[in-house]
Amino acid sequence: MDYTVSMFLNTLTPKFYVALTGTSSLISGLILIFEWWYFRKYGTSFIEQVSVSHLRPLLGGVDNSSSNNSNSSNGDSDSNRQSVSECKVWRNPLNLFRGAEYNRYTWVTGREPLTYYDMNLSAQDHQTFFTCDSDHLRPADAIMQKAWRERNPQARISAAHEALEINEIRSRVEVPLIASSTIWEIKLLPKCATAYILLAEEEATTIAEAEKLFKQALKAGDGCYRRSQQLQHHGSQYEAQHRRDTNVLVYIKRRLAMCARRLGRTREAVKMMRDLMKEFPLLSMFNIHENLLEALLELQAYADVQAVLAKYDDISLPKSATICYTAALLKARAVSDKFSPEAASRRGLSTAEMNAVEAIHRAVEFNPHVPKYLLEMKSLILPPEHILKRGDSEAIAYAFFHLAHWKRVEGALNLLHCTWEGTFRMIPYPLEKGHLFYPYPICTETADRELLPSFHEVSVYPKKELPFFILFTAGLCSFTAMLALLTHQFPELMGVFAKAMIDIFCSAELRDWNCESIFMRVEDELEIPPAPQSQHFQN
């Protein structure tokens, strides 16, 4: 056997070892690239996932009783369901216009800025806010009820035009002034406000066109609101209709204010938002105060911004990145123009500087993704129509509109750059408890991947450690590549080394085989033949 092995090794040339190590390095490199891509896309190792899902049951990794398995599976599903419910998705108060902004981006770049999940959530919001149970009694509203559920944008736009045309045809209703007389009054039915809303959002290609359609919607919606306000106490059906008309009116006025803000009429937009908040103080679900804060920052009316923050930055009210980072911007504005890291390290931080740093730490703890966008360490994309608070989607929505306000304040971005990373030294790790807020939710990455387009690299916090198999394949690829390089450069020396290693391995195997054969031979030689049985036992 030793002679056969030596003959086989003598026939191997250095080219064989170069091809062997090169092929091994190539295969391990391809596995490493695939593992890295899978980890960046799905946040886990493919080999680890396959081994846990398929190999563990085959290897007998699930040997517990069925009752324990069912209990544990139910517990896992309950915890997963609870984590998903904690990640509530909110309507973006600063969302763009589909026709005038999102579609223009698609025409220029060929990319879709909105995901199917995001648009599906918007369709659900429209059905909730713009429909009611009595819509089937009015043909135009019945058409719009189906239009909000339509997935095809052109079908929605066609349905909106159809609703307006039906309203024109049925607009003249004859109503007798006196029952016993033949005198009749020609009464005009109100226009369909929701049809104008859909056309302004999706068909208008400019903000000016959208504003014209919203003004027509305001005229129709205001008339419907006043009529339903008088009838809201006549029954649950009228009350639901009045609630719907209220939502429509608030939405129209808010979008008109946003149109004015886009077209540069910022003071007019601020007045419209203030009037809307006074008229409907209980409708906080639209978060109109965030639109107001952004418009006031554009006017550099920092005293008014502080007054709004004093009302909404309360411990009993839900927080947002706009609230936390605007508060940090105001405190940074007081010290940022004279702030110097070198001077602060020599003399220490003053009281005002300490307040600014603490405000930045508070904002970063609430949403740690925002500073990378404000400091332009990551590229911005168009914000989605829905955001996840404390997630990457909220950070994009905030930075998209507020980056200019931070740049306008001298030294604010420099102060943020010097202090934001210090937040993570104050937060416990692992994030089992927070410092100023609740622990950071673990489900933000999954929800943000659904909300944000595929061409965007989702920001993940806290950063995940690399799986073992990625490190293993990286080491294997590096080791085999080094062997291939050495074999190519020093073929004779590496050939001798390979033969020596194989000889050592084969000699060890041969030694074990010889020992086993010797032991078997000794046992055969020492075996005692069986003694002949006596006559007594034979009988």
Side-chain angles (χ1 to χ4, degrees):
M1 181 178 178
D2 192 7
Y3 177 76
T4 305
V5 172
S6 61
M7 285 292 295
F8 174 74
L9 293 177
N10 290 331
T11 58
L12 299 179
T13 61
K15 293 182 179 180
F16 169 78
Y17 297 108
V18 174
L20 177 64
T21 53
T23 305
S24 302
S25 177
L26 176 63
I27 294 174
S28 57
L30 293 176
I31 295 175
L32 174 62
I33 293 173
F34 176 76
E35 277 283 298
W36 179 255
W37 169 82
Y38 195 88
F39 175 73
R40 294 295 297 271
K41 185 173 181 63
Y42 300 103
T44 185
S45 169
F46 176 78
I47 300 177
E48 181 179 354
Q49 185 178 8
V50 170
S51 61
V52 170
S53 303
H54 299 86
L55 297 183
R56 179 181 292 178
L58 296 177
L59 297 176
V62 184
D63 291 330
N64 297 329
S65 61
S66 59
S67 61
N68 293 336
N69 287 337
S70 60
N71 292 336
S72 60
S73 62
N74 291 336
D76 293 341
S77 62
D78 292 341
S79 61
N80 292 335
R81 192 179 302 112
Q82 183 180 1
S83 63
V84 171
S85 63
E86 289 176 355
C87 291
K88 180 181 178 181
V89 177
W90 299 72
R91 181 81 178 178
N92 183 8
L94 297 171
N95 64 313
L96 306 180
F97 296 85
R98 283 196 189 180
E101 292 171 317
Y102 287 121
N103 287 347
R104 289 167 67 90
Y105 176 84
T106 303
W107 298 336
V108 173
T109 64
R111 292 178 170 181
E112 289 291 341
L114 298 177
T115 62
Y116 173 77
Y117 177 69
D118 191 14
M119 292 188 289
N120 187 40
L121 291 176
S122 298
Q124 296 177 14
D125 292 341
H126 296 153
Q127 294 176 53
T128 303
F129 294 145
F130 302 150
T131 62
C132 63
D133 296 335
S134 61
D135 283 345
H136 65 279
L137 301 176
R138 296 173 297 277
D141 290 335
I143 293 175
M144 290 307 301
Q145 194 174 32
K146 296 179 181 179
W148 296 123
R149 295 195 295 266
E150 183 64 47
R151 294 182 180 180
N152 188 358
Q154 293 301 324
R156 288 196 298 269
I157 294 174
S158 300
H161 284 292
E162 182 182 355
L164 292 177
E165 291 174 1
I166 287 181
N167 215 329
E168 285 289 342
I169 295 173
R170 299 175 59 90
S171 61
R172 295 184 178 274
V173 178
E174 295 180 348
V175 180
L177 292 177
I178 305 175
S180 59
S181 67
T182 57
I183 303 176
W184 295 77
E185 177 191 15
I186 302 301
K187 210 174 189 180
L188 293 179
L189 288 177
K191 298 284 187 179
C192 185
T194 54
Y196 284 117
I197 290 177
L198 193 147
L199 295 178
E201 291 284 353
E202 301 192 17
E203 189 182 38
T205 56
T206 63
I207 301 297
E209 293 178 12
E211 186 181 31
K212 292 180 181 178
L213 290 170
F214 274 121
K215 287 181 178 179
Q216 291 179 280
L218 177 62
K219 184 178 180 181
D222 188 58
C224 293
Y225 171 75
R226 295 183 185 280
R227 277 185 293 272
S228 63
Q229 188 178 26
Q230 299 174 357
L231 302 174
Q232 61 176 321
H233 302 295
H234 292 187
S236 58
Q237 179 178 343
Y238 293 100
E239 184 179 357
Q241 185 174 347
H242 176 67
R243 191 183 308 114
R244 190 277 306 269
D245 293 338
T246 303
N247 293 334
V248 170
L249 184 62
V250 172
Y251 185 89
I252 294 171
K253 290 187 175 181
R254 172 173 162 269
R255 293 304 260 179
L256 277 173
M258 295 177 69
C259 288
R261 169 68 183 90
R262 297 281 204 285
L263 296 174
R265 307 195 305 270
T266 310
R267 296 188 181 278
E268 178 184 349
V270 169
K271 183 179 182 304
M272 295 172 67
M273 294 174 190
R274 289 187 184 278
D275 294 341
L276 185 59
M277 294 171 65
K278 290 179 182 178
E279 186 177 1
F280 303 97
L282 299 179
L283 290 180
S284 59
M285 57 184 175
F286 290 102
N287 292 325
I288 306 173
H289 61 277
E290 296 194 10
N291 300 86
L292 179 61
L293 284 173
E294 195 277 327
L296 290 174
L297 286 173
E298 178 64 23
L299 295 175
Q300 301 184 36
Y302 297 109
D304 294 335
V305 173
Q306 185 62 54
V308 176
L309 285 178
K311 180 178 180 181
Y312 289 96
D313 192 6
D314 188 79
I315 191 173
S316 61
L317 298 176
K319 298 295 182 292
S320 66
T322 302
I323 295 293
C324 295
Y325 278 91
T326 302
L329 176 61
L330 292 186
K331 292 187 178 181
R333 176 177 170 269
V335 297
S336 59
D337 56 339
K338 300 178 182 178
F339 178 77
S340 173
E342 295 79 9
S345 61
R346 289 195 305 267
R347 58 175 172 79
L349 295 175
S350 63
T351 303
E353 291 174 341
M354 184 63 69
N355 292 335
V357 171
E358 289 178 353
I360 291 176
H361 287 177
R362 171 178 177 259
V364 174
E365 181 182 352
F366 182 83
N367 194 317
H369 309 283
V370 173
K372 289 186 177 181
Y373 294 106
L374 293 180
L375 299 173
E376 299 181 271
M377 300 167 64
K378 287 195 66 176
S379 58
L380 275 172
I381 61 172
L382 295 185
E385 293 183 340
H386 289 81
I387 60 173
L388 181 69
K389 288 193 175 182
R390 308 186 72 177
D392 191 29
S393 53
E394 185 191 32
I396 293 172
Y398 172 79
F400 187 85
F401 291 97
H402 289 261
L403 177 59
H405 307 321
W406 279 81
K407 287 184 176 181
R408 191 179 294 117
V409 177
E410 183 182 358
L413 290 176
N414 179 41
L415 179 61
L416 178 67
H417 175 71
C418 296
T419 58
W420 75 279
E421 291 183 338
T423 309
F424 306 116
R425 293 191 292 267
M426 304 168 57
I427 302 175
Y429 187 84
L431 303 178
E432 297 170 349
K433 61 178 182 178
H435 181 63
L436 298 174
F437 299 99
Y438 288 108
Y440 192 81
I442 61 176
C443 56
T444 55
E445 180 185 358
T446 304
D448 280 332
R449 291 187 187 277
E450 295 288 339
L451 290 172
L452 298 174
S454 58
F455 58 82
H456 173 71
E457 182 181 353
V458 177
S459 178
V460 180
Y461 175 81
K463 288 187 175 297
K464 293 184 177 181
E465 298 181 357
L466 289 177
F468 165 76
F469 287 103
I470 291 183
L471 301 176
F472 175 76
T473 52
L476 181 62
C477 179
S478 303
F479 178 71
T480 52
M482 183 183 64
L483 287 181
L485 180 62
L486 292 175
T487 306
H488 179 73
Q489 294 293 331
F490 311 101
E492 296 181 357
L493 182 60
M494 293 301 295
V496 173
F497 176 75
K499 291 178 181 179
M501 294 298 296
I502 296 177
D503 285 338
I504 294 174
F505 176 76
C506 292
S507 61
E509 290 290 333
L510 185 60
R511 190 184 312 114
D512 295 338
W513 182 79
N514 289 334
C515 291
E516 291 181 2
S517 61
I518 292 172
F519 288 143
M520 292 176 64
R521 190 179 305 167
V522 170
E523 289 179 356
D524 292 339
E525 292 178 356
L526 295 179
E527 185 177 2
I528 302 174
Q533 297 181 354
S534 61
Q535 189 70 23
H536 175 73
F537 286 102
Q538 289 180 359
N539 295 332

